């Protein structure tokens, strides 16, 4: 994956003696450009290791071997793996990796942002041998209960599922079940929100186009075994080779 480095002055060198064993998901409550600027400002005293944009951009602000300042405050934590010592919480910045995401807490996540974040989570988990489950991929509010970060629009189980299935290695999966079985029946649907058009029924493929909400789309058929998103694996296709997820249309 392509990562743009924009190193922040806001970090603690090293991680004491800890190894990162969890990934904390945040929402920027703003734009990627605004976050670049905020994290580059020493006065903000905040950072994260990465920021992911709505078009799938990935920026890196802090090295994974250093402690970013993204989850240092602890308040009524619900995270069961949080570390304590002598009755005090140990600063989670030492043992977590933080990823910010573009938008506000109620901004729907684009497919591109899900895909880029999942690929990043996959790579981080590989590097640090972090299990891909809800104990190890958590929302910021699970550490700092006074916040709602990362908001209501991200489905962490979906992010984890995408990250688990995202194999960047050279091996090909030859399982015949993966070949979409097309049902040829033409029709028209309308995009619910910004909708990614892809070259396959698979969000790991970069979008070839994005259509605005309320656009009528003609299809030539569908498959019921595309990538499953929110328990829905039906994707429409056109004879020209475009694909879009049925959950994104009405
Ligand atoms: Zn946060």
């Amino acid at each position: 994956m392509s990562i743009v480095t924009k190193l922040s002055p806001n970090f603690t060198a090293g991680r004491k003696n800890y190894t990162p064993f969890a990934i904390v998901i945040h929402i920027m409550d703003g734009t990627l450009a605004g976050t670049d600027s905020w994290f580059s400002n020493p006065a903000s005293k905040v950072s994260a290791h990465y920021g992911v944009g709505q078009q799938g951009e990935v920026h890196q602000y802090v090295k994974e071997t250093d402690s970013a300042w993204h989850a240092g405050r602890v308040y009524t934590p619900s995270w069961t793996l949080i570390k304590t010592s002598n009755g005090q919480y140990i600063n989670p910045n030492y043992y977590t990796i933080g990823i910010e995401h573009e938008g506000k807490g109620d901004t729907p996540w684009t497919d591109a942002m899900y895909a880029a974040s999942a690929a990043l989570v996959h790579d981080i988990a590989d590097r640090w041998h972090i299990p891909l489950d809800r104990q190890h991929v958590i929302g910021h509010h699970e550490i700092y209960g006074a916040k709602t970060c990362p908001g209501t629009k991200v489905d962490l189980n979906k992010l984890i599922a995408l990250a688990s299935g995202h194999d960047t290695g050279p091996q090909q999966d030859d399982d015949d079940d993966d070949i979409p079985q097309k049902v040829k029946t033409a029709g028209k649907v309308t995009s619910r929100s910004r909708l990614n058009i892809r070259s396959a029924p698979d969000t790991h493929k970069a979008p070839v186009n994005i259509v605005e909400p309320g656009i009528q789309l003609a299809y030539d058929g569908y498959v019921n075994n595309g990538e499953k998103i929110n328990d829905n694996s039906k994707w429409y296709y056109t004879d020209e080779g475009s694909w879009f997820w049925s959950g994104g249309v009405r």
Side-chain angles (χ1 to χ4, degrees), residues 24-28 70-71 99-100 139-141 144 147-150:
V24 180
I25 302 300
H26 299 266
I27 192 80
M28 292 173 184
H70 65 103
I99 308 177
E100 287 281 357
H140 184 195
H141 70 89
Y144 189 66
K147 270 190 146 187
T148 56
C149 178

Side-chain angles (χ1 to χ4, degrees), residues 2-4 32 51-59 102 112-113 116-117:
S2 132
I3 297 178
V4 177
L32 183 62
V52 180
Q54 289 179 345
Q55 306 300 318
E57 314 94 308
V58 178
H59 292 181
E102 186 171 31
M113 190 160 77
S117 184

Side-chain angles (χ1 to χ4, degrees), residues 1-59:
M1 72 184 326
S2 132
I3 297 178
V4 177
T5 302
K6 301 195 172 241
L7 291 181
S8 166
N10 305 327
F11 67 93
T12 301
R15 289 182 169 279
K16 304 275 180 172
N17 285 319
Y18 298 99
T19 298
F21 66 86
I23 298 168
V24 180
I25 302 300
H26 299 266
I27 192 80
M28 292 173 184
D29 201 25
T31 63
L32 183 62
T35 299
D36 289 353
S37 163
W38 189 233
F39 287 176
S40 73
N41 182 351
S44 76
K45 294 187 166 22
V46 289
S47 64
H49 292 91
Y50 296 97
V52 180
Q54 289 179 345
Q55 306 300 318
E57 314 94 308
V58 178
H59 292 181

Side-chain angles (χ1 to χ4, degrees), residues 185-208:
T185 172
K188 286 191 171 74
V189 288
T190 304
S191 54
R192 291 175 183 276
S193 55
R194 279 164 59 90
L195 178 70
N196 289 313
I197 308 297
R198 300 180 187 279
S199 59
D202 178 349
T203 58
H204 301 136
K205 299 268 194 305
V208 294

Side-chain angles (χ1 to χ4, degrees), residues 111 158 162 180-183 185 189 195-205 207 219-238 242-249:
D111 289 349
K158 171 182 165 176
L162 288 171
Q181 302 297 314
K182 288 182 175 177
V183 178
T185 172
V189 288
L195 178 70
N196 289 313
I197 308 297
R198 300 180 187 279
S199 59
D202 178 349
T203 58
H204 301 136
K205 299 268 194 305
Y219 59 85
D220 294 304
Y222 63 86
V223 301
N224 281 320
N225 60 341
E227 181 183 334
K228 187 180 280 189
I229 302 170
N230 296 344
D231 236 29
N232 176 356
S233 52
K234 180 177 178 180
W235 288 66
Y236 292 105
Y237 69 86
T238 71
S242 296
W243 294 81
F244 50 91
W245 178 55
S246 68
V249 297

Side-chain angles (χ1 to χ4, degrees), residues 74-116:
V74 178
Y75 180 76
T76 62
S78 56
W79 184 33
T80 53
L81 299 185
I82 196 164
K83 286 182 171 290
T84 58
S85 170
N86 298 323
Q88 304 272 344
Y89 294 115
I90 298 170
N91 187 333
N93 285 340
Y94 295 132
Y95 45 89
T96 59
I97 288 178
I99 308 177
E100 287 281 357
H101 295 82
E102 186 171 31
K104 294 181 177 292
D106 59 356
T107 310
W109 279 40
T110 62
D111 289 349
M113 190 160 77
Y114 260 119

